[in-house]
Amino acid sequence: MNQELMTLDFWQDTVIYEGKIFPIGTLACDALNVPADTISKMNEQCEKINLMLGAMNAKQDASALFPMVREAALAMLDILSKTPPFSYMDVPKHRERIERVFTTDCALSHLECVQKANSGTMQLEDLVKYEDAVLLERYTAVFGHLAFSLGEYQKAMLDFAEKSDSNEADRTAEGFAKMFGSYFPPEFSITEGNAWMSVSNQSVQYVSTIRPGEDVAKLVKRMHYVSFVGMFRSDLFEGLCVGHAPKKCKICGKWFLTTNARHTKYCGGYAPEDKLHRTCRQIGNLKGREQRELADDHPVIQIYEKRLNTINRYIKRGKLDDDVAEVMKKLAKDKMLRAKSNVAYAKGAYEKEMEQAALKKEALKRI
């Protein structure tokens, strides 16, 4: 019941989390950026929530711990709502559920549910009656372990991410596979207790589902997790399988996801302390030609150069006025620079706006 909190749907090179589609590896990459002070703030709430988790595990009445635990759970949700990748959750939905289940009555219902389960008197129809009690246990367990879980993920994966970051020779699925094999032991036994490769905290099923924004069903691999560390680790490894991997920005120092083999150096986020509010990529491109991340054969530049060639050809043939052509060239350059610093624009409207007819129409309006 209510597995959305830690469920991922994998399809090709994308992953669905709580109704949102991301390139595979996005969640894992963002989890590497959670600062230590944020984890510390999470842990303050975890300690309060763990008091109730201990009472639940001991099959004791935890109702006296309210409203302290309820307040801690809501405080935890506020922290998560401002911290990617947790902020991708449906925060209003989880807030409503926490407010509903973190109550004294629900704690007593949970104790009753456990007693029935232990005595063997639980009936099928009881599942609906105790749904909120089960949900209470779910949130308590997840939130109680969250700071520790995130810390363990970073401890295990930051070093591996550093290795992948330095893998400049071949940032492809095949290249990452070779690097993975040299970093992690090829022999694997579930009895060895390798935390980085645990298979005991997740389950897999295949379902036919309609993805957000689409109308045709796809067969996806749906994975359920019992901890965020398992979910993030899985997202990271699935990303490597399709050539997606974390990369550390040379300017702001944050991790961002690369989805192709190009040796991108800078992220698209705003550069810290830059008074002009430029992105790291814009700053990086000002560092000199030898340090620029975009080569001459990059698709963004290829589209721009192709359009310039077409404009010049039309001028020579007398099919385009010089004044209109100059405005078109200026528009094309502006759009190319925007595409270099804005991945969403580059993958979206850029190519269409760079078509000859579209540029000419826009130029005529400017004139």
Side-chain angles (χ1 to χ4, degrees):
M1 292 185 291
N2 299 302
Q3 293 287 328
E4 309 101 307
L5 184 64
M6 286 187 292
T7 292
L8 300 179
D9 283 356
F10 293 103
W11 185 74
Q12 294 187 350
D13 61 353
T14 62
V15 62
I16 299 175
Y17 180 59
E18 294 241 325
K20 303 178 182 70
I21 301 179
F22 305 94
I24 292 180
T26 298
L27 307 177
C29 187
D30 285 341
L32 295 173
N33 287 321
V34 180
D37 63 334
T38 299
I39 297 178
S40 179
K41 291 176 182 177
M42 290 180 183
N43 193 52
E44 291 176 9
Q45 308 309 322
C46 289
E47 291 176 353
K48 301 173 186 176
I49 296 170
N50 276 327
L51 293 175
M52 190 172 77
L53 184 60
M56 284 180 164
N57 290 338
K59 303 177 180 60
Q60 298 172 349
D61 180 2
S63 58
L65 295 171
F66 292 91
M68 179 192 71
V69 176
R70 181 175 184 271
E71 182 180 329
L74 290 172
M76 176 72 82
L77 190 63
D78 284 338
I79 296 171
L80 300 183
S81 69
K82 304 178 183 69
T83 309
F86 305 102
S87 56
Y88 305 145
M89 299 188 310
D90 187 342
V91 175
K93 176 187 70 180
H94 292 295
R95 187 179 303 280
E96 182 278 326
R97 288 179 177 175
I98 289 172
E99 291 174 344
R100 187 178 79 241
V101 305
F102 276 79
T103 64
T104 301
D105 289 343
C106 199
L108 293 172
S109 177
H110 177 269
L111 183 60
E112 182 182 310
C113 174
V114 171
Q115 291 171 345
K116 276 198 172 187
N118 290 339
S119 64
T121 59
M122 180 76 76
Q123 301 296 319
L124 186 60
E125 56 268 21
D126 288 334
L127 293 177
V128 175
K129 176 183 176 182
Y130 294 118
E131 183 175 358
D132 280 355
V134 174
L135 192 58
L136 172 64
E137 182 177 7
R138 173 76 166 159
Y139 277 113
T140 303
V142 171
F143 280 12
H145 293 148
L146 183 52
F148 174 79
S149 182
L150 184 57
E152 286 298 295
Y153 169 75
Q154 289 190 349
K155 187 190 303 182
M157 294 303 154
L158 274 172
D159 183 62
F160 176 69
E162 294 283 358
K163 293 291 191 301
S164 72
D165 184 27
S166 61
N167 184 36
E168 294 288 357
D170 189 1
R171 291 185 65 82
T172 64
E174 294 76 15
F176 291 128
K178 183 178 180 180
M179 180 203 69
F180 186 96
S182 64
Y183 188 88
F184 292 121
E187 299 82 15
F188 170 63
S189 169
I190 60 174
T191 61
E192 293 175 359
N194 294 314
W196 60 271
M197 191 62 91
S198 173
V199 294
S200 62
N201 66 351
Q202 61 196 42
S203 60
V204 183
Q205 64 182 138
Y206 293 87
V207 298
S208 177
T209 185
I210 297 178
R211 289 156 38 94
E214 300 180 2
D215 52 13
V216 178
K218 300 288 195 307
L219 182 61
V220 304
K221 178 169 67 174
R222 177 166 294 173
M223 300 186 70
H224 305 287
Y225 306 89
V226 299
S227 70
F228 277 111
V229 65
M231 188 175 87
F232 295 149
R233 183 182 56 230
S234 177
D235 186 47
L236 176 65
F237 291 166
E238 291 283 342
L240 294 177
C241 292
V242 295
H244 297 184
K247 184 78 177 172
K248 184 177 283 188
C249 179
K250 301 299 183 184
I251 292 180
C252 71
K254 289 185 177 180
W255 293 95
F256 65 101
L257 189 71
T258 63
T259 58
N260 55 45
R262 295 191 176 278
H263 299 167
T264 309
K265 295 180 180 179
Y266 315 110
C267 72
Y270 288 110
E273 300 180 3
D274 182 64
K275 295 180 179 179
L276 298 179
H277 302 291
R278 290 170 295 187
T279 66
C280 292
R281 190 167 291 132
Q282 288 173 318
I283 297 294
N285 285 335
L286 297 176
K287 289 181 175 292
R289 185 177 183 87
E290 71 282 357
Q291 294 183 348
R292 291 177 186 171
E293 66 175 74
L294 295 178
D296 290 338
D297 63 344
H298 192 280
V300 166
I301 297 178
Q302 283 186 330
I303 291 173
Y304 169 67
E305 292 182 343
K306 179 181 178 182
R307 190 53 54 228
L308 286 187
N309 290 335
T310 303
I311 292 171
N312 290 330
R313 194 162 59 247
Y314 272 53
I315 294 173
K316 289 181 179 180
R317 294 176 181 176
K319 295 183 178 181
L320 194 61
D321 293 338
D322 289 343
D323 292 343
V324 177
E326 285 305 310
V327 177
M328 289 175 67
K329 289 180 180 180
K330 175 64 168 59
L331 286 170
K333 185 174 182 179
D334 290 344
K335 293 178 188 297
M336 182 267 292
L337 293 174
R338 179 186 174 191
K340 288 170 70 176
S341 62
N342 187 325
V343 176
Y345 174 65
K347 293 183 177 180
Y350 173 63
E351 187 169 5
K352 187 173 182 62
E353 289 183 5
M354 288 287 279
E355 292 177 355
Q356 181 80 356
L359 273 179
K360 184 177 181 180
K361 183 177 180 181
E362 189 174 348
L364 290 172
K365 285 184 179 180
R366 293 287 183 92
I367 294 174

